[in-house]
Amino acid sequence: MSALYEIDALLKKIKRIHMIGIGGAGMCPLAEILLKEGYQLTGSDNNESDNLAKLRSLGVPIAMGHRPENIGDAEMVVYTAALLEDNPELCAAKASGVPTFERAKLFGAVTRLYPNCIGVCGTHGKTTVTSMLTQILIMAQLDPSAVIGGRLPLIDSHGRVGHSDTLVCEACEFADTFLSLSPDVAVILNIDEDHLDYFKTLENIIRSFHQFASMAHTLIINGDDANTHRAVSSLLGEKEVITFGLQAGNDYSAANIQMRRGAFPEYDIVFRGQDVGHVRLDVPGMHNVPNSLAAIAAARHAGASLEQCIAGLESFHGAGRRFEKLAVCNGVTIADDYAHHPAELRVTLDAALKMGYHAVWAVFQPFTYSRTYLLMEDFAEVLRMADHVVMTEIMGSRERNTYNVYTSQLAAKIPGSVWYHTFDEVAQYVVDHAQRGDLVITLGCGDIYKAARLMIQKYKAQHAEIEL
């Protein structure tokens, strides 16, 4: 039996599953789907969260902290990729012979429960497009299930359990996680150099996207992206292919693009050469035009009307940590964004600079030593776009600093930038220096959002004028 389907066979035989790190954004939606399918769940985690409260309200017993006895009489143990190999629960499961699976394998099995699994992949924009698509389908009353990499404000969650045959899911390429999934529709937004610590070369990245695309029946692809074309070129004769992009000639394209308030796009939707509608987006940045076209293409393929697509998009105000406005404190706007790759930073800062603020502050936390080292010059170039740059030390996450790389080296390439070891120092510097009319945006896929929260707390302590 293929290792890919080993978990599927086991799921047909067992009912009791223990999930280590059950409160994670990627684990919680899967837990909800398993509950709907009739499984008995237990879980553990280290930090209280809204996700844990939600699962407890559904009757899931959750232990705080990791101890061998937490696995109880589980017939399967599922764990997050971030778990260390010496985790006591994981060790106890292996010692007692209980089958253990990393989250991606469970995710793959869940995708095979749905006859219409839409996997949204790409180096940039996955969470935004997955969120846009989910919002359209919910508002169109098509009742999808969803697994999203960020919080969708419409449902105040990273996912939902629907009762239709459709699952919308974010398919992440890191460490080839998406190759565990079984998409019926593959939405490919773009392919860029990233995760080079794992892939090593762009060719390897393209090869993995090709493999993901080969598993789907229908491909919805960015017709403007050369690397995407390279990934799917050999599949074009055997798959249904729908293209989107800014260039004429795509199945879905945009005409008469205008920017409201300097950064919020509106455009005419063109379908196979014909103007079919007009949409006004409430998320900033030109990059959200192709993002929204991808969502329209996927939603219409799933059964939504064009009018329902427009209504869903115009009511979409962004996903959590995607240019998310947190507060205005003494006239200083504080926002947070997940951008962590130079290409993502560029489009985020470009949108910010067009929004009419007096000055834009980029508060950046570099993520992983390998990415910072390999893309150092690109990071320096794009961060110089901001009026002010404040940085933290690199968040190594899963890596050791074998590259001998430090934020101070990046700061030396950005005139006027500063960096600090702690979030408290970062927050204090911004609060001391930001002026009324400025935009402060925290940037990174780690925990830099905590610095934004600290800024708000410090303003509150000063009895500042605050609008949330």
Side-chain angles (χ1 to χ4, degrees), residues 365-393:
Q365 179 189 47
F367 188 79
T368 71
Y369 303 111
S370 59
R371 183 185 286 116
T372 308
Y373 177 80
L374 294 169
L375 301 177
M376 174 79 74
E377 296 300 329
D378 294 332
F379 277 121
E381 178 187 353
V382 71
L383 286 168
R384 286 195 291 264
M385 293 170 62
D387 299 294
H388 306 279
V389 178
V390 185
M391 292 182 286
T392 71
E393 193 47 270

Side-chain angles (χ1 to χ4, degrees), residues 228-251:
T228 298
H229 277 286
R230 291 173 62 193
V232 305
S233 59
S234 66
L235 303 172
L236 297 182
E238 59 188 74
K239 309 283 185 182
E240 177 187 16
V241 179
I242 301 168
T243 61
F244 66 89
L246 298 181
Q247 297 176 11
N250 288 299
D251 292 317

Side-chain angles (χ1 to χ4, degrees), residues 364-377 379-380 383 391-396 399-414 417-421:
F364 179 54
Q365 179 189 47
F367 188 79
T368 71
Y369 303 111
S370 59
R371 183 185 286 116
T372 308
Y373 177 80
L374 294 169
L375 301 177
M376 174 79 74
E377 296 300 329
F379 277 121
L383 286 168
M391 292 182 286
T392 71
E393 193 47 270
I394 300 166
M395 184 174 186
E399 297 181 343
R400 297 182 185 276
N401 192 6
T402 57
Y403 297 87
N404 198 32
V405 62
Y406 299 93
T407 298
S408 58
Q409 297 161 348
L410 178 57
K413 298 175 181 292
I414 306 170
S417 66
V418 297
W419 64 275
Y420 294 98
H421 288 289

Side-chain angles (χ1 to χ4, degrees), residues 298-317:
R300 290 190 79 187
H301 188 269
S305 69
L306 182 66
E307 292 72 22
Q308 289 168 330
C309 292
I310 293 171
L313 286 172
E314 293 193 338
S315 64
F316 177 74
H317 309 302

Side-chain angles (χ1 to χ4, degrees), residues 177-191:
T177 297
F178 64 172
L179 298 185
S180 295
L181 312 184
S182 295
D184 299 283
V185 178
V187 182
I188 306 179
L189 304 175
N190 44 64
I191 301 174

Side-chain angles (χ1 to χ4, degrees), residues 18 27 70 122 147 164 169 174 186 197-198 263 276 298 302 327 331 352 360 365 393 418 428 442 446 466:
H18 180 72
M27 289 279 266
N70 288 343
V147 179
S164 72
C169 65
F174 171 68
D197 55 316
Y198 174 80
V276 292
V360 172
Q365 179 189 47
E393 193 47 270
V418 297
Q428 192 63 56
T442 51
I466 296 180

